[in-house]
């Protein structure tokens, strides 16, 4: 019942509770079950995160949210009158955003940023809460940074909010449990170089158990700079969180703000 109430409060579409499987029987790591279990907790901090991000970006007039999920930050950018757009490759999340925000249903694009033609340039681009590094090749990674730059106006700001490789290395935890809506989640981690492989097991109150594995590339600040600078993106400021607290090399997270600087 707890999970169901969470969905009702979030105005989820009717098909959310029907099935937790992809057609091939494999649960998508960021799919229906993820939304069912984590949406309530994440929604509680979304407005504050969106406000903090805008403050770090000098209050932009237009913004592109890359890997926006079901639009938990995008919806606030739009409510506050920004010219805001979101990009999200997960069709389930895109559908949730459209059903919850019918007036702005055209403001989310179902695709990877690498595959989208530049339809306009923005004064800010954001990628919040580790939306990059998931299951991508080196070529896709380079194309991502090229597109992040192309979507920015000259002088525009890019905010990247990611897990810090050095932070993981300093305090590696092989497994942990977490209480979520509808049950518990057990995450088991394996870190090899910069690749973090997570096997997530959902143990639901109803007695069902589901498991899915996903790989994430972790970055250092130096890694991000090396990827960004070839595309005219230069580091402006670094923090350890969206609140703007000072960064240190082994901080759990990196919040890096880059500025697009073009030759005169």
């Amino acid at each position: 019942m707890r999970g169901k109430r969470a969905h009702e409060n979030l105005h989820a579409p009717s098909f959310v509770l029907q099935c937790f499987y992809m057609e091939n029987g494999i649960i998508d790591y960021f799919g229906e079950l993820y939304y069912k279990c984590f949406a309530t907790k994440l929604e509680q901090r979304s407005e504050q995160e969106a406000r903090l991000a805008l403050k770090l970006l000098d209050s932009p007039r237009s913004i592109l949210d890359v890997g926006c999920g079901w639009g938990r930050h995008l919806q606030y950018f739009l409510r506050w009158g920004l010219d805001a757009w979101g990009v999200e490759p997960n069709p389930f999340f895109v559908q949730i955003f459209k059903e919850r925000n019918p007036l702005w249903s055209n403001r989310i694009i179902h695709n990877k940023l690498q595959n989208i033609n530049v339809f306009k340039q923005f004064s800010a681009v954001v990628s919040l809460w580790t939306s990059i590094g998931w299951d991508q090749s080196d070529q896709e990674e380079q194309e991502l940074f090229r597109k992040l730059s192309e979507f920015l106006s000259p002088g525009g700001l890019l905010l990247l909010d990611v897990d810090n490789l050095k932070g993981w290395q300093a305090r590696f935890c092989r497994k942990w449990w977490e209480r979520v809506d509808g049950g518990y989640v057990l995450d088991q981690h394996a870190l090899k170089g910069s690749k973090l492989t997570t096997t997530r097991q959902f143990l639901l109150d109803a007695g069902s158990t589901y498991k899915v594995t996903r790989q994430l590339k972790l970055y250092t600040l130096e890694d991000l700079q090396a990827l960004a600078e070839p595309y005219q993106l230069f580091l402006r400021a670094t923090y350890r969180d969206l609140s703007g607290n000072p960064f240190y090399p082994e901080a759990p997270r990196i919040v890096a703000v880059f500025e697009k600087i073009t030759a005169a």
Side-chain angles (χ1 to χ4, degrees):
M1 291 298 294
R2 184 181 178 191
K4 184 175 181 180
R5 287 198 298 270
H7 280 293
E8 292 170 348
N9 292 337
L10 289 167
H11 307 292
S14 59
F15 59 82
V16 169
L17 297 176
Q18 291 178 6
C19 183
F20 298 141
Y21 289 100
M22 304 291 284
E23 288 184 358
N24 61 0
I26 300 174
I27 305 171
D28 184 8
Y29 193 93
F30 291 113
E32 298 179 54
L33 191 52
Y34 177 89
Y35 181 84
K36 175 182 183 292
C37 292
F38 288 99
T40 301
K41 182 181 296 187
L42 294 174
E43 290 280 351
Q44 290 171 352
R45 62 187 193 225
S46 297
E47 181 177 1
Q48 178 68 1
E49 289 173 346
R51 291 188 186 279
L52 292 172
L54 293 181
K55 185 177 180 180
L56 296 181
L57 292 166
D58 299 337
S59 302
R61 289 175 294 181
S62 61
I63 190 166
L64 178 65
D65 189 349
V66 178
C68 66
W70 60 89
R72 63 187 188 93
H73 302 110
L74 177 61
Q75 63 184 342
Y76 289 106
F77 298 150
L78 288 162
R79 289 177 192 176
W80 298 333
L82 278 72
D83 180 9
W85 292 74
V87 176
E88 173 56 46
N90 188 314
F92 176 73
F93 287 165
V94 170
Q95 185 63 25
I96 287 180
F97 176 83
K98 290 184 175 183
E99 292 201 11
R100 293 177 61 185
N101 302 277
L103 294 178
W104 298 314
S105 61
N106 67 327
R107 288 303 182 105
I108 190 168
I109 300 171
H110 174 213
N111 213 328
K112 291 184 177 180
L113 188 70
Q114 296 95 316
N115 300 332
I116 300 174
N117 293 324
V118 179
F119 58 91
K120 68 172 295 178
Q121 289 186 309
F122 296 83
S123 54
V125 175
V126 296
S127 177
L128 297 169
W129 203 247
T130 311
S131 296
I132 66 172
W134 295 97
D135 298 329
Q136 63 185 11
S137 66
D138 291 343
Q139 182 178 354
E140 289 174 317
E141 182 180 68
Q142 293 168 10
E143 180 64 10
L144 171 63
F145 275 81
R146 184 176 74 83
K147 281 296 179 72
L148 289 170
S149 177
E150 290 181 353
F151 273 98
L152 270 177
S153 302
L157 299 180
L158 166 67
L159 187 153
L160 298 178
D161 170 24
V162 299
D163 286 73
N164 182 12
L165 172 59
K166 292 182 179 179
W168 269 91
Q169 292 171 333
R171 56 183 67 82
F172 180 74
C173 180
R174 193 172 66 86
K175 65 171 67 175
W176 66 66
W177 291 90
E178 183 177 359
R179 177 66 177 171
V180 296
D181 279 345
Y184 290 87
V185 163
L186 170 63
D187 282 342
Q188 300 183 77
H189 305 288
L191 182 60
K192 185 176 181 180
S194 63
K195 300 293 186 182
L196 178 69
T197 302
T198 298
T199 299
R200 172 165 287 170
Q201 188 171 1
F202 294 88
L203 306 173
L204 303 184
D205 292 338
S208 302
T209 302
Y210 307 102
K211 184 181 291 186
V212 64
T213 298
R214 196 82 183 267
Q215 189 174 79
L216 170 67
K217 179 178 179 179
L218 300 175
Y219 299 96
T220 65
L221 179 58
E222 295 77 14
D223 292 334
L224 294 176
Q225 286 181 272
L227 287 164
E229 288 183 1
Y231 303 104
Q232 302 175 309
L233 299 170
F234 296 93
L235 188 65
R236 173 174 169 174
T238 314
Y239 311 97
R240 70 171 183 260
D241 53 37
L242 289 172
S243 296
N245 289 308
F247 178 75
Y248 58 94
E250 295 178 351
R253 302 193 64 77
I254 302 171
V255 176
V257 179
F258 294 85
E259 183 174 357
K260 183 176 179 178
I261 301 176
T262 57

